[in-house]
């Protein structure tokens, strides 16, 4: 009889502890759902990219530079409903950003443009990395959205500067002068060094 009572008490104790664990698990799940909802709302509120050209030059590039056109198009359109949709969109934006290094128009294939494209790609990839983490740091994602927009403006303004600079007529002899400054075109010193031990003729 004592064994039955002890077994009965043990079963009641186990049942209560299981119930407590289930309640704790349910409470944790509710907190996790609430946390994810806050993250989603924060990202959803800030997800807005400059997907339209800001000047004539950038607008012309939309027609002439396929990779630029596709990148701006990918920036447009906002994901809906789930954080997974934002993750998918972010991965797609990162892929299109990487393609900006391909087929840069010759007029813009300059260090100033390439460096701005590299910075833009880095920030897009960072955003993509953060949004795919298990615990998404939403403040970092939203900060990077703003940074990406700044880089987009900087890149388009640099394109505009290059085009405006190319419209300025060169003065007579300026192209020759610029060629002389180009160290890659300099005539190499092919004369052998003078041996200091040779007798000098005076």
């Amino acid at each position: 009889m004592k064994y039955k009572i002890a077994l009965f008490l043990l079963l009641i104790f186990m049942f209560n502890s299981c119930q407590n664990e289930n309640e704790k698990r349910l409470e944790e799940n509710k907190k996790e759902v609430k946390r994810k909802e806050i993250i989603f709302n924060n990202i959803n509120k800030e997800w807005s990219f400059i997907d339209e050209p800001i000047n004539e030059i950038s607008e012309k590039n939309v027609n002439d530079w396929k990779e630029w056109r596709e990148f701006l198009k990918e920036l447009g359109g906002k994901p809906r409903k789930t954080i997974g949709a934002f993750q998918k969109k972010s991965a797609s934006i990162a892929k299109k950003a990487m393609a900006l290094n391909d087929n840069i128009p010759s007029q813009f294939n300059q260090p100033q443009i390439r460096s701005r494209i590299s910075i833009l790609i880095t920030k897009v990839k960072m955003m993509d990395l953060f949004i795919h983490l298990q615990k998404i740091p939403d403040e970092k994602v939203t900060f990077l959205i703003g940074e990406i927009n700044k880089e987009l403006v900087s890149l388009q303004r640099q394109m505009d500067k290059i085009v405006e600079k190319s419209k300025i007529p060169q003065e007579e002899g300026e192209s020759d002068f610029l060629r002389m400054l180009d160290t890659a075109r300099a005539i190499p010193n092919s004369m052998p060094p003078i041996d200091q031990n040779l007798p000098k003729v005076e």
Side-chain angles (χ1 to χ4, degrees):
M1 186 71 181
K2 286 181 182 179
Y3 292 118
K4 287 182 180 178
I5 291 171
L7 185 62
F8 180 71
L9 290 173
L10 181 65
L11 286 172
I12 289 174
F13 175 75
M14 285 174 61
F15 178 74
N16 281 337
S17 65
C18 285
Q19 224 173 2
N20 289 341
E21 282 181 31
N22 283 343
E23 285 173 11
K24 282 180 186 175
R25 201 174 297 124
L26 284 170
E27 194 63 36
E28 284 173 12
N29 285 346
K30 282 180 186 174
K31 284 180 184 176
E32 184 65 18
V33 167
K34 186 74 175 167
R35 189 181 68 82
K36 285 183 177 178
E37 191 178 312
I38 290 168
I39 289 169
F40 173 81
N41 289 335
N42 288 343
I43 293 173
N44 187 43
K45 188 170 64 175
E46 297 297 322
W47 191 277
S48 178
F49 293 102
I50 300 171
D51 61 339
E52 293 291 323
I54 66 164
N55 54 35
E56 273 183 47
I57 304 307
S58 182
E59 197 169 334
K60 184 180 181 302
N61 282 333
V62 167
N63 299 324
D64 300 343
W65 185 8
K66 179 184 163 210
E67 288 77 12
W68 177 247
R69 178 176 64 244
E70 289 178 355
F71 177 66
L72 289 180
K73 186 179 176 186
E74 194 60 48
L75 288 175
K78 192 173 183 178
R80 299 276 182 236
K81 296 179 182 173
T82 66
I83 203 74
F86 281 104
Q87 289 170 332
K88 190 175 177 183
K89 184 72 167 174
S90 175
S92 186
I93 290 171
K95 187 178 176 186
K96 297 290 182 189
M98 290 293 292
L100 288 175
N101 275 325
D102 303 333
N103 305 319
I104 299 172
S106 57
Q107 184 179 20
F108 300 119
N109 198 359
Q110 298 182 21
Q112 308 95 302
I113 296 292
R114 286 196 305 269
S115 65
R116 281 170 174 77
I117 289 172
S118 293
I119 293 167
L120 178 63
I121 289 170
T122 301
K123 292 189 176 178
V124 168
K125 285 171 79 176
M126 283 172 63
M127 179 191 72
D128 188 44
L129 172 77
F130 285 132
I131 207 166
H132 279 90
L133 292 176
Q134 187 70 31
K135 290 188 175 179
I136 300 168
D138 53 317
E139 69 286 345
K140 288 183 180 176
V141 173
T142 55
F143 172 77
L144 283 164
I145 290 168
E147 289 295 300
I148 290 165
N149 282 330
K150 284 179 191 172
E151 294 306 325
L152 283 165
V153 170
S154 173
L155 176 61
Q156 292 178 72
R157 284 190 177 146
Q158 187 61 44
M159 289 176 189
D160 197 38
K161 279 182 191 174
I162 288 169
V163 169
E164 289 305 312
K165 195 174 177 182
S166 71
K167 289 178 183 175
I168 300 170
Q170 287 189 342
E171 291 183 18
E172 188 180 323
E174 186 178 351
S175 60
D176 294 333
F177 178 72
L178 290 172
R179 267 195 302 246
M180 285 178 13
L181 290 176
D182 186 2
T183 56
R185 294 177 41 92
I187 299 169
N189 188 1
S190 58
M191 298 234 354
I194 299 172
D195 188 359
Q196 298 296 327
N197 296 328
L198 289 176
K200 294 180 183 176
V201 178
E202 293 185 18

